[in-house]
Structure formats: structure tokens, C-alpha cells
Amino acid sequence: MVFWILVACLVAVVTLVITRPLLRASPKTVEDPDAVTAAADIAVYKDQLKEVAADEASGTLASEEAESARSEIARRLLRSTADKDRADTTELPKRASFAAYASILTSIALPIVSLGLYLAYGAPGMPGDPLSTRLAQRENSNNPNDLVAKVEERLRAHPEDGTGWGVIAPVYYAMGRYADAANAYANAIRIVGESPDRLQGFANARIRLENGVIPEDARKTLERLLVIAPERKEPRIWLALAKEQDGKLAEAAADYRKLIEEAPTDAPWRQMLEARLANLTPADGKPPSVLVLPKKDAGDTSLPRPPEGSPSAIMSMTPEQRQAFITQMVDGLAARLKTDGTDATGWLKLIRAYQVLGRQDDAVKALSDARANLKNDQVGLARVDDLARELGLGG
């Protein structure tokens, strides 16, 4: 309380210093009409005295008459001078008195009113933040991570806010947080319902999370999207790619071909589809009937090595050679994972390859090995579990 009393006294002193010039006499900026009239009369009387003296000197006016005229003019001159002095001396006290009262009242009222308003509407008991903290808060006020954190905090308090989930989902996706984006899109769909953008966003997030592999939940979402928005091309492209990944190459090639026929010449995805169709279609124009797997190592000469970038070379093998080639690729991947079991993507490829080849027991064993090797990689472990559910491999 002592502090605020000192502040009030300081304000009063400063106010008094500022208003002190009001107590001083200042030159008139606008002259009083009576004073102007008196000054004019004095000038006239002085001119008249000069004229009387001139007439007396020239002999046109007798000495007695001249003396009488000078006396009368002198009386009038004295009266006019007295009136002017009286007007000047009565104006200053009035102004000085008003200025003094105004200065005193202002000096007293200003600190009292200011202190009362602050105590009524301010927060005198709240401690002030250090300057460094205030600067940091100002710099981080528009930080995207802080804004996301605020939305997340609200969603934790109101988990059924479907609009909030729909708002934060694309933000997660743009930040590369694909698991969070997929979860947010799923919540938005569950709470506020399906929409083409929400369904596409969920599918894209799941595909990104699987590094381009299209999981079962994403495939079903894309199929649902085609029901409510059949004019969209993106879900059709993804579903064609899903068929290619599942080994349904003839169906994938047919879908690619139809999409290319319907695509405008300047479509940005047309060239990509043409390249994928070319990889699926050998020289005879028929799509291959087996899954094209990665090429074998250059140093291994036990089997014919297909020319680089030529899927038709695999088709030129005998069935026995082709099966041996594919088996060798899969076994090579399995051997590499035994050396380095931290490659989550490699485990996904191996499990899926075993499933395509019908080696169910090997797929189950690979799933168990993957979980053991990825026990410290929560993201990779979640991807493996998702694939296990998709393929029906059980817990």
C-alpha cells in the first residue's frame, strides 16, 4: 500500500509541475475592445495637442484659447489612460485565480481517480512476468506446434468434437504424423459422418503410414468413397495399385488402361499410369500372371538374371525357373532380416510375400520374428500388427 501512496504523490507532483505555467501571466493574444478604444483615444488626444500648438505658433489661435484647449485635452487624455490601466490590472488576477484553482484540482483529482480505477478494474496483486518470459510468449504465440497443442488439449477434454478432429486431421497429415492423421480422420468420420474428403484423407494417411502399401482398411475406405463419389479418379488409381500389390496383375492392367483412356491429355497422373501399365504388359500385350518381384543380386549366377527393367524376361523362364527365381528373392530377404531385424518395411514385404506364395507357416513365423525384433520400435510393430490383421494371421 505504501508503494501506491508514493505513486499517487509522484503523479500529483508531476501534474503540478506540468500545470504550473497556467499560473503565470501571459501576453494577450486578443486585445480587449475597451483597451483598444482607450488607446485610440489617447492617440487622437496627442494629435490634438500637436494641432493646438501648431495653431498657436501660426497665430490662428490666441494664447488663452490655446491654453484652455490644452487643459481640456489633457483631462481627457488622463481619463483614457486611467481606464486602460484599470482594464489591464483587473484581467490578470481573474485568469491567475482560475488557473490556480484548476491546477490544484487537477493535481489532487488525477492520482485519486487513476488509483481508484486501477484498484477496481486492475490486478494489483498479480505478480508480473519477467521480460524474457513475455518476449518468449510473444514469439511463440503463432507457433504451429503450440496451436496444434491447444487443439489437442481441447480434444482431450471434448473427445466427441467431430469438427475438431476434422480440422486437425489434415494438419497432422501435413506435418507427417500419419498415424495421428488416420486416427483423427477415423474419429471425424465416426462422429460427424462420411464425406469424400474425410474418406480420402483417411485412406491417404493409412497408405503413407504403410510406405505405399495399401492396407485392407484403406482399400475398404476407397471402395466406399467410390460409392458416394464415383466421379473421383484418385480412389480408382489406388485400388488399381492395390490389385497390383496383391498379385492381380491382369485386373490392375485393365484398370490402368481404362483410367488412361478416360484421362485428359494434360492429367498429371496420366504418365505415371502409362509407366505402370508398361511394366505390367510384356511384348505380346498380355499382362503377366505372376507377381514381379525385385531382381536378384548381380553376383548370383545360379539362375538367369532378367534384363534390367524388363518384366517380360521373367515370363520367358520356364515355370520351374520362375518359381525358383521368386523363391530365391524371398529367401534372400529372409536371410537379410536375420542379420538386421530392425527393418520394419522388410518384414512387411517378407510376410506379404510368404502369404502370396501360399507359405502360411512361414508367414506366421515371420510375423513372430518381426514382433520379437521390433519390440523397441513401436511404430514398426504397429505396422506389422496392422498387416497381420489385414492378412488374417491372428494375434
Side-chain angles (χ1 to χ4, degrees):
M1 194 62 184
V2 176
F3 172 76
W4 298 113
I5 295 175
L6 293 176
V7 170
C9 294
L10 180 61
V11 172
V13 171
V14 172
T15 305
L16 182 61
V17 171
I18 294 175
T19 58
R20 186 176 180 182
L22 297 175
L23 300 175
R24 299 175 183 172
S26 57
K28 292 183 181 180
T29 55
V30 179
E31 295 186 16
D32 183 70
D34 293 338
V36 173
T37 302
D41 291 343
I42 292 172
V44 171
Y45 295 148
K46 289 181 178 180
D47 290 338
Q48 289 178 352
L49 288 174
K50 293 178 181 179
E51 291 176 0
V52 170
D55 290 342
E56 183 182 9
S58 62
T60 57
L61 189 65
S63 298
E64 294 80 4
E65 293 176 351
E67 186 64 28
S68 176
R70 273 195 293 269
S71 299
E72 181 62 26
I73 293 172
R75 283 194 299 273
R76 294 179 182 179
L77 179 60
L78 290 173
R79 186 168 57 250
S80 297
T81 303
D83 292 341
K84 183 176 182 300
D85 292 340
R86 188 163 49 253
D88 290 342
T89 56
T90 56
E91 184 68 19
L92 180 57
K94 292 180 181 179
R95 293 188 179 183
S97 176
F98 173 77
Y101 285 128
S103 176
I104 294 172
L105 290 175
T106 303
S107 301
I108 296 174
L110 183 61
I112 294 176
V113 172
S114 300
L115 182 59
L117 290 174
Y118 179 73
L119 293 175
Y121 298 101
M126 181 176 292
D129 287 337
L131 177 60
S132 58
T133 303
R134 297 198 301 271
L135 293 177
Q137 290 174 349
R138 184 175 63 182
E139 291 175 358
N140 298 328
S141 60
N142 295 323
N143 190 313
N145 291 330
D146 291 343
L147 298 178
V148 170
K150 292 179 181 178
V151 177
E152 291 174 336
E153 182 179 358
R154 172 172 174 76
L155 290 174
R156 283 192 292 270
H158 305 279
E160 295 303 310
D161 181 5
T163 302
W165 288 114
V167 168
I168 201 172
V171 178
Y172 280 147
Y173 188 88
M175 297 173 67
R177 298 171 58 177
Y178 301 122
D180 292 333
N183 180 65
Y185 276 120
N187 287 332
I189 293 171
R190 175 178 58 84
I191 298 171
V192 298
E194 297 177 344
S195 74
D197 289 341
R198 295 189 192 105
L199 292 173
Q200 187 67 72
F202 173 79
N204 289 347
R206 289 290 293 117
I207 295 170
R208 285 279 190 174
L209 188 60
E210 298 297 334
N211 290 326
V213 176
I214 303 173
E216 183 65 17
D217 55 355
R219 182 183 63 79
K220 291 181 179 179
T221 301
L222 293 169
E223 291 173 348
R224 174 59 184 164
L225 176 57
L226 280 181
V227 173
I228 65 176
E231 74 283 354
R232 290 206 171 197
K233 294 292 189 296
E234 186 175 357
R236 293 174 58 189
I237 295 173
W238 282 121
L239 288 172
L241 182 60
K243 293 177 180 179
E244 180 183 349
Q245 292 176 351
D246 290 341
K248 303 175 181 179
L249 304 185
E251 296 180 19
D255 290 347
Y256 288 149
R257 192 175 290 108
K258 187 174 182 180
L259 285 165
I260 293 171
E261 291 173 357
E262 298 174 358
T265 55
D266 59 345
W269 39 266
R270 181 187 180 100
Q271 187 175 0
M272 181 271 293
L273 293 181
E274 290 174 345
R276 300 205 72 86
L277 179 62
N279 289 334
L280 291 179
T281 307
D284 57 6
K286 297 179 181 179
S289 57
V290 297
L291 179 64
V292 179
L293 294 178
K295 301 184 294 293
K296 57 185 284 187
D297 294 337
D300 190 348
T301 57
S302 60
L303 289 173
R305 180 176 183 272
E308 185 176 354
S310 176
S312 60
I314 297 179
M315 298 304 298
S316 65
M317 298 179 181
T318 65
E320 293 77 11
Q321 288 178 326
R322 188 162 53 240
Q323 184 64 33
F325 177 77
I326 295 173
T327 301
Q328 185 181 27
M329 295 298 99
V330 175
D331 292 343
L333 176 60
R336 181 173 66 81
L337 290 174
K338 287 182 180 180
T339 304
D340 179 15
T342 61
D343 182 7
T345 302
W347 285 112
L348 295 174
K349 292 179 180 178
L350 181 62
I351 296 169
R352 189 179 291 276
Y354 280 148
Q355 186 77 2
V356 172
L357 293 173
R359 297 165 60 175
Q360 188 74 10
D361 293 341
D362 290 336
V364 173
K365 185 177 184 306
L367 174 61
S368 177
D369 293 341
R371 286 171 172 166
N373 284 275
L374 298 175
K375 60 183 179 180
N376 295 325
D377 182 1
Q378 297 301 319
V379 176
L381 189 59
R383 294 172 60 192
V384 170
D385 290 340
D386 289 343
L387 179 61
R389 287 191 293 269
E390 175 188 341
L391 299 179
L393 296 179

